[in-house]
Amino acid sequence: MNGRVLVTGATGSMGAAAVESLAAQGIPVLMACRNLEKAAAVRESVLGRHPQADLAVRKIDLASLDSVRAFAEGLKADSVTAVFNNAGVISKSYSITVDGFENTFSVNYFGPWLLTLLLLPKLPPDARIVNMVSLTCRFVTLDETTLRPTERAFSQLGTYARAKRSLLSFSLELARRHPQLRVNLADPGVVASDMIDLGHWYDPLADRLFKPLCKKPVDGVQPALRALAAAEGVRYYVGKGDRAVPRRYLNPALDTRIWAETERLIRV
Ligand SMILES: NC(=O)c1ccc[n+]([C@@H]2O[C@H](COP(=O)([O-])OP(=O)(O)OC[C@H]3O[C@@H](n4cnc5c(N)ncnc54)[C@H](OP(=O)(O)O)[C@@H]3O)[C@@H](O)[C@H]2O)c1
């Protein structure tokens, strides 16, 4: 792979594992993080093991579209050749961002949507875009109204799943609109990260009983790393392989409607 890979959420479990793996391969990385102190710590730790690594850090808050715009404006053309939309969150309760979006949707969907679109003119035409989705996508349906859940319609896992399903829909429509791009989906499985602490009283118990059964971040991020090296798109990277995007997700008319509604909501 040539060029620098932008990794959002590079301070997280799988984000940091991705940075480490890319650094080990001699691939320059731009770590796009909301917490610069945490980012500096991850960078230092990776540099400790890979002193030659080329790791840049910049701030982005995907829960703020102004922050996304500022990040994109500050990026020099041709400085990045691949984008790994890795950052994500499962909000414990209903909350609204400065832009009026539900927080889980903003971080997992609206933020990456806008970031990717704003970066397109600065990327090579055959840039690689890897979007981190989830097996939870299969349990939900999508329509224009689900992009902005009301407090009544909010549920921790349901809203997360619909945000990831929206990112999946975006990926397919992006690939249709920009056939030269290499857009791919990565599904890490269930990974022992902070994200799967859902804020319940039994989390400490789950840590001891459930987390040991989950994948380690370094394993969970492998599908995404393979997707980042893919010669073409659009494939669904999961487990040790990749396959055609599952039929249950193929609905171009829906993708077009979701795209149009997103454009309207973000006022692109
Ligand atoms: N863990 C799983 O089982 C699983 C399964 C399927 C899919 N995924 C997806 O895999 C990706 C990585 O998850 P993970 O398990 O590595 O989670 P994690 O350890 O919780 O990492 C999440 C990352 O996202 C960043 N982030 C959160 N809110 C942000 C915001 N407003 N702006 C910018 N960055 C923000 C976090 O930054 P801070 O360090 O500042 O908090 C962190 O770097 C996510 O997209 C997740 O949805 C995970």
Side-chain angles (χ1 to χ4, degrees):
M1 199 190 314
N2 294 323
R4 188 176 293 273
V5 179
L6 188 163
V7 179
T8 67
T11 50
S13 312
M14 284 188 270
V19 173
E20 173 107 34
S21 170
L22 294 166
Q25 297 170 62
I27 298 169
V29 179
L30 172 55
M31 302 165 58
C33 305
R34 70 170 166 177
N35 182 330
L36 292 180
E37 273 176 36
K38 268 171 100 173
V42 170
R43 181 175 181 274
E44 239 173 73
S45 152
V46 174
L47 281 174
R49 290 178 294 279
H50 307 282
Q52 309 304 326
D54 177 352
L55 306 177
V57 176
R58 286 199 45 215
K59 185 173 170 69
I60 191 168
D61 180 357
L62 291 161
S64 156
L65 297 184
D66 277 352
S67 170
V68 172
R69 289 191 182 96
F71 180 93
E73 270 165 30
L75 196 81
K76 282 200 196 110
D78 298 322
S79 61
V80 159
T81 56
V83 178
F84 177 22
N85 284 312
N86 162 72
V89 72
I90 304 182
S91 300
K92 291 184 179 61
S93 56
Y94 186 75
S95 66
I96 294 293
T97 67
V98 283
D99 305 294
F101 297 117
E102 187 283 323
N103 188 61
T104 301
F105 252 94
S106 190
V107 176
N108 290 284
Y109 177 62
F110 289 110
W113 192 101
L114 184 63
L115 175 67
T116 308
L117 273 254
L118 292 178
L119 291 185
L120 280 189
K122 300 185 172 188
L123 299 175
D126 63 348
R128 291 172 164 102
I129 314 284
V130 174
N131 291 334
M132 197 72 130
V133 294
S134 157
L135 55 79
T136 59
C137 291
R138 72 171 65 193
F139 303 114
V140 291
T141 54
L142 199 62
D143 68 47
E144 291 92 322
T145 64
T146 52
L147 296 176
R148 296 189 76 179
T150 58
E151 186 160 9
R152 230 176 123 84
F154 175 86
S155 73
Q156 207 170 348
L157 278 177
T159 300
Y160 170 74
R162 277 184 279 277
K164 287 296 186 190
R165 178 67 186 83
S166 307
L167 185 66
L168 199 161
S169 164
F170 164 61
S171 311
L172 299 181
E173 183 68 11
L174 180 69
R176 272 190 292 274
R177 291 180 184 221
H178 299 275
Q180 275 184 281
L181 286 176
R182 292 175 276 188
V183 182
N184 281 294
L185 299 157
D187 174 347
V190 182
V191 179
S193 73
D194 292 346
M195 173 163 284
I196 63 170
D197 295 340
L198 298 179
H200 300 309
W201 62 266
Y202 51 77
D203 278 347
L205 196 65
D207 275 356
R208 289 178 55 191
L209 299 178
F210 177 58
K211 276 196 177 168
L213 304 176
C214 301
K215 288 185 188 168
K216 294 192 173 71
V218 67
D219 298 323
V221 80
Q222 292 307 315
L225 290 168
R226 290 201 311 280
L228 278 168
E232 33 189 79
V234 181
R235 304 278 294 171
Y236 193 92
Y237 285 75
V238 62
K240 292 194 185 319
D242 62 277
R243 60 185 201 214
V245 178
R247 287 171 68 88
R248 70 175 77 88
Y249 300 133
L250 302 181
N251 187 342
L254 173 69
D255 298 338
T256 307
R257 292 202 325 266
I258 295 292
W259 181 294
E261 180 62 3
T262 304
E263 246 174 359
R264 192 185 72 78
L265 291 172
I266 293 186
R267 297 189 192 89
V268 182

